[in-house]
Amino acid sequence: MAISEQKYHELEELAAKIRLDTLCSIKKMGQGHLGGSFSIVELLAVLYGKQLRINPQDPQWADRDRLVLSKGHAGAALYSALANTGYFDRSWLWTINEGGTRLPSHPDRWKTPGVDATTGSLGQGTSMAAGIATGLRLAGKDNFVYLIVGDGELNEGQCWEAFQYIAHFKLNHCIVIIDDNKKQLDGPTKDILDPFDIQQKMTAFGFYTEKVPGADMQAIDEAIERCKAIEDQAVCIVLDSVKGQGVPFFEELDANHSVKFTTDEINQAAEAAIKELTIKIEGGR
């Protein structure tokens, strides 16, 4: 089902807000995981703007859907999504990773409203999501669990153990979403440890698998709807995304996994992007 024009406009505005606040919060820190945060902005906009069954006024609502950000280094994007959907005041975003903050650099479910799983040690979120989905099934619940995994994270064997478990038990309410932005800490994924065709690998593991453009919110939403309709098979969406997605300068920046705001060029590019995103948000109102 196509997203209505009004809803798509709302999602575009939410994506711009998430990208803007992610950039501003990381810039204030002086450095941070900008590339992998930007590559899931459109996904987060679709999830928090349309797909997730949540209640920001009651973060522990028993009937909520769960989200596990296994690639926990993209926490800044998750925090921006949570702040812009009412889980906490946006002023918290300017305290990320500071002493006493409720927003550590990687998500912590004991500190931040709306965070369902403490993540950051790569690979472990896959097992957490599998466990959460199993528990919900045993309790007779119909909640969905959305698992966001990085392509570089697939270097971890634990991911494939969890995927095999999810596929074997046909945990169709655990929607695996792989952010295939093609770069990791040390360089392109194909040079570090070639993942080959991730869609084919997940299909071979027993998943119903789709690959969609990571910046296309309509395609992401439609893929999620199709996955939610699958009843007898594990499901996976591969996002064909770009590291630093949404801002050409950061897309093309070689060292865009963790960006340091220490040069005039980077700071000027950030200020230009902040201005452009602000205009886009204000112009859409």
Side-chain angles (χ1 to χ4, degrees):
M1 181 183 295
I3 303 174
S4 69
E5 184 176 348
Q6 179 180 350
K7 173 55 72 172
Y8 194 83
H9 174 76
E10 293 173 1
L11 294 181
E12 280 190 314
E13 183 175 340
L14 179 56
K17 288 178 176 178
I18 294 171
R19 184 165 278 113
L20 173 62
D21 285 347
T22 299
L23 174 56
C24 290
S25 61
I26 291 176
K27 185 174 183 295
K28 185 179 183 301
M29 280 193 289
Q31 67 176 49
H33 294 96
L34 185 144
S37 292
F38 273 13
S39 60
I40 60 169
V41 165
E42 280 72 22
L43 169 64
L44 291 173
V46 171
L47 290 175
Y48 283 92
K50 184 176 184 290
Q51 285 290 347
L52 283 170
R53 182 170 64 184
I54 51 176
N55 181 359
Q57 284 69 51
D58 183 8
Q60 295 301 312
W61 179 43
D63 289 330
R64 74 190 184 281
D65 289 334
R66 273 66 164 181
L67 185 139
V68 178
L69 181 66
S70 192
K71 45 174 282 179
H73 53 280
L78 174 60
Y79 297 150
S80 296
L82 292 171
N84 279 285
T85 47
Y87 279 91
F88 49 80
D89 193 271
R90 284 180 64 246
S91 63
W92 289 23
L93 296 175
W94 322 133
T95 72
I96 293 179
N97 216 28
E98 292 183 355
T101 186
R102 295 189 67 180
L103 304 180
S105 61
H106 293 63
D108 185 331
R109 71 186 185 92
W110 296 110
K111 292 182 179 293
T112 311
V115 171
D116 292 311
T118 300
T119 56
S121 182
L122 295 179
Q124 292 187 3
T126 57
S127 297
M128 292 181 194
I132 294 169
T134 299
L136 290 170
R137 173 181 282 186
L138 291 173
K141 301 286 189 178
D142 65 351
N143 315 63
F144 281 91
V145 180
Y146 294 85
L147 167 64
I148 304 176
V149 190
D151 52 356
E153 185 176 5
L154 298 183
N155 291 173
E156 299 286 350
Q158 184 169 355
C159 293
W160 300 100
E161 294 176 23
F163 293 160
Q164 187 171 6
Y165 174 91
I166 292 168
H168 175 77
F169 288 101
K170 299 180 179 180
L171 295 177
N172 58 303
H173 276 224
C174 180
I175 300 180
V176 177
I177 304 173
I178 298 173
D179 179 27
D180 183 16
N181 63 33
K182 303 160 196 68
K183 290 178 74 176
Q184 58 193 97
L185 174 62
D186 296 324
T189 53
K190 64 180 178 60
D191 295 337
I192 306 304
L193 194 62
D194 196 337
F196 298 98
D197 190 315
I198 296 174
Q199 182 180 3
Q200 287 185 3
K201 289 170 76 170
M202 295 302 289
T203 300
F205 259 63
F207 283 75
Y208 167 82
T209 311
E210 291 199 23
K211 186 174 184 177
V212 299
D216 187 335
M217 291 188 290
Q218 179 71 54
I220 293 170
D221 182 68
E222 290 176 355
I224 291 173
E225 290 290 347
R226 286 189 290 270
C227 284
K228 290 170 75 172
I230 301 294
E231 297 182 353
D232 61 349
Q233 189 177 6
V235 295
C236 173
I237 298 169
V238 179
L239 296 181
D240 184 7
S241 63
V242 178
K243 205 97 166 178
Q245 187 167 281
V247 178
F249 175 86
F250 291 113
E251 290 180 357
E252 296 164 9
L253 185 67
D254 185 51
N256 63 0
H257 179 81
S258 182
V259 176
K260 295 183 179 180
F261 291 83
T262 55
T263 69
D264 289 341
E265 182 184 26
I266 289 177
N267 280 296
Q268 289 169 6
E271 290 300 328
I274 289 169
K275 182 178 180 180
E276 184 176 339
L277 288 164
T278 301
I279 292 172
K280 181 176 182 179
I281 294 166
E282 293 178 348
R285 292 174 182 168

